[in-house]
Amino acid sequence: MDKSLNDVLNLHTRKILHYKRLLERAQASTAAQLHALQAEVRVLRERERKYDQDGTGVIMAMEGDRYCVCGGKKRKGYWSGYRGDDDDDDVDVDLMKALKGDGEGGFSETEVRKAMRSLNREERMRL
């Protein structure tokens, strides 16, 4: 009887030791991830500080009515939230020229979209 009790005790001790090591590894991993995130935050803050010191933030703020913070052009008007609202819709883009692109397989997706929008429904269906 004493031997079986000793075996059970050893089994539980090994299990507790296993779970203790598992918990220590998890805590070490979490601490490493936290350290990496803090380092990344420091880098991003330094980059933002440098961005503000270089004066590019001032330029973007000066042109606040035309450009957003990310540098893209702001859309105006009622349909501004839709993809099809472009200021330069009046420019005709040749579909073949847009698809051909630079001749080496590279083309501008926005030019292709503009060319496709310039086609009427029947021409798009035929294409």
Side-chain angles (χ1 to χ4, degrees):
M1 179 89 174
D2 191 30
K3 186 178 179 193
S4 67
L5 183 63
N6 198 15
D7 289 341
V8 170
L9 187 62
N10 283 338
L11 177 70
H12 285 294
T13 305
R14 278 187 281 145
K15 283 289 186 182
I16 289 173
L17 185 61
H18 170 73
Y19 287 130
K20 179 184 172 189
R21 289 181 180 150
L22 186 65
L23 179 62
E24 288 172 348
R25 283 198 312 256
Q27 286 175 335
S29 174
T30 303
Q33 287 177 344
L34 179 63
H35 180 72
L37 285 173
Q38 287 172 339
E40 190 173 346
V41 166
R42 262 186 255 118
V43 167
L44 288 173
R45 283 184 179 156
E46 184 62 33
R47 191 178 298 163
E48 183 182 8
R49 212 174 290 123
K50 187 175 190 268
Y51 173 78
D52 288 341
Q53 288 174 353
D54 288 346
T56 49
V58 175
I59 292 171
M60 296 305 275
M62 286 173 28
E63 306 232 2
D65 61 332
R66 291 190 61 218
Y67 293 96
C68 69
V69 176
C70 66
K73 200 170 186 183
K74 278 190 177 179
R75 301 285 181 205
K76 294 181 181 177
Y78 183 78
W79 297 105
S80 62
Y82 291 92
R83 179 184 288 170
D85 182 45
D86 287 334
D87 293 337
D88 50 355
D89 275 345
D90 56 342
V91 177
D92 286 332
V93 179
D94 184 26
L95 181 61
M96 289 305 295
K97 184 178 176 185
L99 287 174
K100 190 174 182 181
D102 60 2
E104 296 178 7
F107 62 91
S108 171
E109 188 175 337
T110 56
E111 286 184 16
V112 173
R113 283 186 186 152
K114 288 178 188 175
M116 289 298 292
R117 279 193 300 255
S118 68
L119 300 175
N120 62 27
R121 175 186 272 177
E122 292 170 8
E123 291 171 333
R124 284 194 304 265
M125 292 300 290
R126 202 171 48 218
L127 179 66

